[in-house]
Amino acid sequence: MLSFLFSLSVVLFLGLLGSRLAKYWGWPSALVLWVIGALLGRVSGVGFSAQIWFVVAIGVLSLAVFDSVSRLHISKGVEERKMALHFVGYSVLMVGFLAWGLLAHFAHSLSVLGFVLIFVFLVIGSDRAALGVNGVWSFLSEEGMWLGSLTLLIPFIVLGFLERTLVPVGVLGVILPLHPFVHDAIVGIGTGLLLGVIFFKWIHAWVSSYFTPVWLWTGVLGGFILSEVLGGSGVLAVGTMALLFGHGFVNGKKELQEFTHSFSEAVEVAVILLSGMVLKISFSGVLLGEGLFLFAALVLARFLAVRSARLRFSALEKGWLSVFMPKGFYSAAALLGLAVLGPSSLLPWLQAAWLVMVLCLVLSLGVYQDKKLGRI
């Protein structure tokens, strides 16, 4: 217990210090926190037990998926949203094709092919934070919402598919003799629908707005755990509940959104720093070489996506879009969850993805500095 408290105090102190320094320098806080976390991961005596990592990963992943998916507004057809979805599609195609071309000779099995797909959705992920509310910055906000949700959903759906093809399905496997992937989706979505209706009806009818956040987070964590116990996808269950919440009425929704914003900002520092710790980055020459090579491919794919999507922005704004690839809370939550819940053979892919994300933030430093100086 003393070791846990010591590690927790060190993490929180260094996280707050790093976040403050990043704000003072005008840098993205994720860049400073990830570097601090990677360095802490190499220090003996600062860490957590496997049980604590597991509990933290489940909690962070559930809250991150709910936060990201509940912010999506599919029914609203604003111009920025249409362009953002168009651009997201081009980005996925460009990065996917390049990643397949570079890594195809490694894909000699279904598991490695799945790891390539997980890597692609990790590195294209964006951050929820927007630099502004108009024009290209509003577009970046929309892009960040959709890519952030994909970063949290697709890798875990793929990971669940790989796991279900190697082991028997869960409790409902006797009742539902379906392909494991279909079983995964049906149980996950069904659990999310059932618990979403029950909890949101209960919240709307009986719970005061003051206690809404407690009941809602209880339902989110319960949905994730129940779906996994039944052999389904926990992230699909939480994602389904988030869609019901985002497009339905819940008593005290305004208070809940304010609580969520404050709560997310409070845990964001710890999550980003912990994701750097758990990966145990080696900083070897092989990792640096692979990271730089894959980062160059990602920049090329981003450039091609910006040029192919026919975005209605100026040449300068398209230049910003080509180099500005923010990463943050959603990417860190995905890394943390995959590192703890995924197989050990996935770890080198996560380390390479982490390095690519750090390089993306380094490339974006110029945009952050321009924003700090009021040039944009």
Side-chain angles (χ1 to χ4, degrees), residues 40-54:
L40 281 178
R42 308 301 302 174
V43 177
S44 61
V46 179
F48 306 104
S49 65
Q51 293 84 357
I52 293 177
W53 277 119
F54 180 80

Side-chain angles (χ1 to χ4, degrees), residues 26 137 320 364-376:
W137 309 121
W320 283 333
S364 303
L365 279 177
V367 179
Y368 280 99
Q369 290 295 320
D370 286 345
K371 176 62 178 177
K372 180 184 179 183
L373 297 175
R375 297 171 182 169
I376 55 176

Side-chain angles (χ1 to χ4, degrees), residues 53-67 152 221 224 263 267 270-272 274-275 329-330 332-334 336-337:
W53 277 119
F54 180 80
V55 172
V56 169
I58 292 295
V60 167
L61 182 60
S62 300
L63 299 182
V65 171
F66 187 87
D67 182 71
L152 288 163
L221 292 173
F224 186 99
F263 183 75
V267 301
V271 170
I272 296 175
L274 289 173
S275 66
F329 177 69
Y330 294 152
L336 178 60

Side-chain angles (χ1 to χ4, degrees), residues 75-288:
S75 61
K76 294 183 180 180
V78 298
E79 193 65 25
E80 290 85 357
R81 183 163 295 114
K82 292 179 180 178
M83 285 197 299
L85 287 174
H86 192 206
F87 181 62
V88 166
Y90 271 102
S91 298
V92 172
L93 288 176
M94 292 296 178
V95 178
F97 281 139
L98 277 178
W100 174 256
L102 294 172
L103 305 173
H105 62 287
F106 294 112
H108 49 77
S109 66
L110 180 63
S111 60
V112 176
L113 182 60
F115 290 170
V116 172
L117 190 59
I118 289 173
F119 175 85
V120 167
F121 278 93
L122 281 176
V123 297
I124 67 171
S126 187
D127 186 47
R128 60 186 174 171
L131 292 180
V133 295
N134 297 315
V136 67
W137 309 121
S138 176
F139 167 83
L140 280 168
S141 178
E142 292 292 338
E143 180 208 9
M145 288 300 166
W146 288 96
L147 284 179
S149 297
L150 291 177
T151 298
L152 288 163
L153 291 174
I154 301 299
F156 289 95
I157 292 174
V158 173
L159 185 61
F161 171 76
L162 295 177
E163 292 176 345
R164 299 295 192 269
T165 57
L166 299 177
V167 298
V169 295
V171 177
L172 295 186
V174 179
I175 304 174
L176 299 175
L178 301 173
H179 188 279
F181 180 71
V182 179
H183 171 276
D184 217 33
I186 291 177
V187 175
I189 295 174
T191 303
L193 284 172
L194 178 62
L195 288 184
V197 170
I198 292 175
F199 266 84
F200 296 155
K201 286 287 186 180
W202 174 267
I203 289 172
H204 177 62
W206 298 99
V207 180
S208 68
S209 60
Y210 184 78
F211 292 103
T212 295
V214 178
W215 281 99
L216 183 59
W217 294 131
T218 301
V220 169
L221 292 173
F224 186 99
I225 295 171
L226 179 60
S227 180
E228 291 289 334
V229 169
L230 295 176
S233 171
V235 294
L236 280 180
V238 174
T240 303
M241 295 180 70
L243 281 177
L244 289 177
F245 173 80
H247 293 267
F249 178 78
V250 177
N251 189 32
K253 197 170 188 178
K254 180 179 179 181
E255 290 82 357
L256 178 62
Q257 289 172 338
E258 293 175 355
F259 171 84
T260 302
H261 179 71
S262 302
F263 183 75
S264 296
E265 287 198 15
V267 301
E268 184 173 349
V269 170
V271 170
I272 296 175
L273 198 148
L274 289 173
S275 66
M277 287 179 60
V278 74
L279 292 176
K280 304 291 184 182
I281 304 298
S282 62
F283 296 104
S284 64
V286 175
L287 177 62
L288 292 175

